[in-house]
Amino acid sequence: MKKKVIILGSGIAATTVAFFLQDKCDVTIVTKGALSDNNSALAQGGVAAAVGPNDTAQAHYEDTLTAGAQLNDPDASQILVNEGAEIIRELIKMGVPFDRLGDGSIDYGMEGAHHHPRILHAGGDQTGKYVLEFLQRKLSSKVKIEANTTAVEIFPEDNKAKILVIANKQFRTIEADFLVIATGGIGQLFPVTSNDKTITGDGIALAKRAGAELADMEFIQFHPTLLNKPGSSLLISEAVRGDGARLVNKSGEYFMADVHPDKDLAPRFVVAREITNQFLKGEEVFLDISTVQNFRARFPYISRSLDKAWIDSTLIPVKPGAHFFMGGVKTDLNARTTLGNIYAVGEVARTGVHGANRLASNSLLEGLVFARRAAQDIIARPQKDENYQTEKQEPTIYKQNLPTLEELKNRAWESIGIIRRPEKIREFLAWLEEFDDSVPNANRIDFEISNLILISKEIARAALARPVSIGAHYIEEEND
Ligand code: SIN
């Protein structure tokens, strides 16, 4: 009998695990929304890999560690850059349509904190979507897909994993030899985010309730440039600044010139913080794209989205928003969590490759590399228990006292957002303690709120435990 593997999620990491397992295992993808509801499908920036002329994996490694404030796991980061280059070469050979120059060679782009042009793009600013859809097309019909199905609780057992899911208001228990969590990060904890609407930290909360270890929970990356328009969450890629766009305030001042030697391409946390300071001074901030050559051709998705938002000026109003979570479920070099048969891959996992701040375009790469490792590890492991004893798992679900999502988001923004103050975090934590997050909830929105509460508590505690600023974690000292 083939090993049974359940994969939760639908982004690059989930799809890559399924791709590498499909011939050897019985694979089911279980996802809360549609197959396209994930952050990978929104990833504009590209995928970084040392595959171009004169580049080396060692140079990519050094940039990764510098961006991560040296808090990265060195072994995991070496694997990222070395195996990352290998996988990208394979994807090029397989025919992923990465953007090319007139002479047919790959067009390698630059992004903040890279010291070599090593970002591959596809469809201009639609890299995640192109790579994801390419891999989805490579999945055979043997891979079963259960969309609109939410995993609400997981039960690790010695030789298998049990997952309680809900679909069409009906609970069901699924058993598998291995479970791979690939549900993405936590962006929807904040009122402003580049993340998909489904990204509510579910996998992290599920894993924590089941007893898995979490790590690096204080490190959240805020992207400096999201469109500043009510109701919009459009990301204006860093690649636009890589192509020469500049941040200015409403007085026309080019403020990044005085803040950091890398100016607009300074680390994201530096730029996001400076924009926040500009807002605190009563300024507005714009991305001036008048100097970008062929903007529409280079950034077709952003251009179309700006048209839809009625932005027809070369001064695009921008604000920072939550973008990427460096923390998450702690995993080893083979993507195993601290729970026997349960793996975590992609943004939900804390592999250690990002340290205190992720280097631009390293996230799709992380998803690909550690998803392949998880698949290889699963294939290599013995199948211990061939005879499932299907035992129905009763949901431990009840109606909880919960705040509204809006209130949680606003309080999270003020307390564990871009600029943190210990007394604000303590106040937030005391407020969070009023709410019980220990069991899932049958109602979808309450389920997501209780997951975000659990995660907020972990972030707040981790932020207080690190009283000194580093990387994306900026905390004002007690008497500032
Ligand atoms: C961007 O395009 O600015 C985001 C890409 C990334 O986060 O790596």
Side-chain angles (χ1 to χ4, degrees):
M1 194 163 74
K2 283 185 172 174
K3 292 170 196 162
K4 184 168 176 187
V5 183
I6 301 292
I7 302 168
L8 304 181
S10 62
I12 289 263
T15 310
T16 304
V17 177
F19 172 77
F20 283 108
L21 287 181
Q22 59 185 341
D23 295 329
K24 302 241 164 58
C25 299
D26 170 1
V27 179
T28 305
I29 291 179
V30 172
T31 189
K32 186 163 83 167
L35 273 190
S36 54
D37 292 335
N38 54 67
N39 278 349
S40 302
L42 297 174
Q44 297 175 6
V47 55
V51 292
N54 308 321
D55 198 7
T56 62
Q58 184 57 25
H60 186 187
Y61 173 80
E62 281 160 20
D63 285 348
T64 299
L65 265 67
T66 305
Q70 311 292 328
L71 288 192
N72 318 55
D73 178 305
D75 295 337
S77 305
Q78 281 292 355
I79 287 171
L80 176 81
V81 296
N82 286 297
E83 293 185 17
E86 199 181 293
I87 292 182
I88 294 301
R89 279 194 201 98
E90 275 172 38
L91 290 180
I92 295 170
K93 262 198 231 143
M94 282 165 67
V96 172
F98 288 116
D99 295 344
R100 290 175 185 266
L101 296 168
D103 65 3
S105 60
I106 303 259
D107 182 4
Y108 297 101
M110 261 314 243
E111 273 180 20
H114 284 275
H115 289 92
H116 199 87
R118 63 168 74 93
I119 321 297
L120 293 89
H121 292 97
D125 51 7
Q126 300 161 93
T127 313
K129 182 171 185 284
Y130 275 47
V131 179
L132 177 63
E133 289 178 356
F134 181 90
L135 288 170
Q136 283 172 340
R137 285 194 293 273
K138 298 275 173 206
L139 295 184
S140 82
S141 56
K142 287 183 286 180
V143 174
K144 296 184 262 316
I145 312 280
E146 295 199 25
N148 300 310
T149 303
T150 306
V152 291
E153 207 164 357
I154 57 179
F155 306 90
E157 300 193 355
D158 278 352
N159 296 328
K160 60 188 179 210
K162 231 188 266 181
I163 306 112
L164 181 69
V165 300
I166 183 168
N168 295 323
K169 300 194 174 145
Q170 298 295 316
F171 285 102
R172 197 158 39 95
T173 307
I174 318 178
E175 288 183 340
D177 295 293
F178 300 99
L179 168 67
V180 183
I181 305 174
T183 50
I186 59 156
Q188 289 298 338
L189 174 57
F190 296 95
V192 183
T193 179
S194 60
N195 285 199
D196 186 79
K197 62 186 181 309
T198 57
I199 304 300
T200 52
D202 304 344
I204 300 173
L206 256 58
K208 176 68 185 168
R209 288 193 193 103
E213 218 177 293
L214 308 181
D216 288 352
M217 296 295 285
E218 65 275 41
F219 296 124
I220 303 167
Q221 185 173 83
F222 293 88
H223 196 288
T225 54
L226 271 60
L227 178 63
N228 190 3
K229 192 152 189 232
S232 168
S233 56
L234 175 69
L235 179 79
I236 315 289
S237 175
E238 188 162 285
V240 178
R241 279 172 283 135
D243 271 17
R246 288 169 156 212
L247 289 159
V248 292
N249 60 21
K250 75 169 177 248
S251 325
E253 189 194 346
Y254 175 37
F255 56 85
M256 283 312 295
D258 303 327
V259 173
H260 192 278
D262 293 339
K263 302 184 177 105
D264 299 279
L265 290 177
R268 285 180 185 171
F269 57 84
V270 175
V271 186
R273 207 177 301 143
E274 183 50 34
I275 294 177
T276 306
N277 287 332
Q278 293 286 323
F279 285 130
L280 291 173
K281 286 190 224 159
E283 281 290 351
E284 282 168 53
V285 176
F286 301 88
L287 190 62
D288 179 355
I289 58 164
S290 59
T291 48
V292 179
Q293 305 278 308
N294 303 322
F295 182 80
R296 291 197 80 85
R298 297 273 297 144
F299 303 103
Y301 173 77
I302 298 175
S303 300
R304 279 197 306 275
S305 308
L306 289 173
D307 290 347
K308 281 191 203 146
W310 295 75
I311 305 286
D312 57 4
S313 156
T314 53
L315 284 178
I316 305 172
V318 290
K319 63 189 171 192
H323 183 57
F324 187 85
F325 192 39
M326 277 73 73
V329 185
K330 191 171 171 194
T331 53
D332 69 10
L333 298 180
N334 288 320
R336 292 189 196 187
T337 69
T338 51
L339 304 172
N341 289 18
I342 301 181
Y343 292 72
V345 291
E347 194 174 341
V348 73
R350 181 278 191 190
T351 58
V353 299
H354 306 304
N357 177 48
R358 177 178 61 89
L359 180 67
S361 289
N362 265 356
S363 53
L364 295 177
L365 194 69
E366 179 194 30
L368 291 163
V369 167
F370 289 93
R372 184 173 71 162
R373 285 200 147 231
Q376 288 165 341
D377 196 57
I378 289 171
I379 291 167
R381 283 175 79 169
Q383 185 176 20
K384 291 196 194 141
D385 183 359
E386 294 211 348
N387 302 310
Y388 293 145
Q389 305 272 306
T390 307
E391 195 185 301
K392 199 163 170 284
Q393 195 73 46
E394 288 305 324
T396 43
I397 283 173
Y398 57 83
K399 181 86 188 105
Q400 289 149 286
N401 161 38
L402 292 170
T404 63
L405 187 54
E406 197 188 356
E407 184 175 14
L408 174 60
K409 284 176 183 235
N410 290 335
R411 284 181 181 254
W413 186 253
E414 285 168 11
S415 328
I416 51 171
I418 298 172
I419 296 177
R420 300 167 172 180
R421 295 212 326 268
E423 65 278 16
K424 256 321 221 182
I425 305 174
R426 279 193 286 270
E427 213 175 90
F428 180 51
L429 194 51
W431 176 76
L432 289 168
E433 300 292 358
E434 291 171 27
F435 306 108
D436 178 12
D437 56 62
S438 61
V439 290
N441 199 299
N443 167 305
R444 158 96 178 248
I445 185 79
D446 285 354
F447 166 67
E448 294 178 344
I449 294 172
S450 80
N451 291 344
L452 289 172
I453 289 205
L454 182 153
I455 288 161
S456 299
K457 289 179 187 170
E458 296 291 328
I459 295 171
R461 290 187 194 115
L464 288 171
R466 195 184 282 281
V468 175
S469 301
I470 184 162
H473 169 63
Y474 182 78
I475 187 156
E476 290 180 350
E477 286 177 29
E478 283 285 14
N479 298 319
D480 274 1

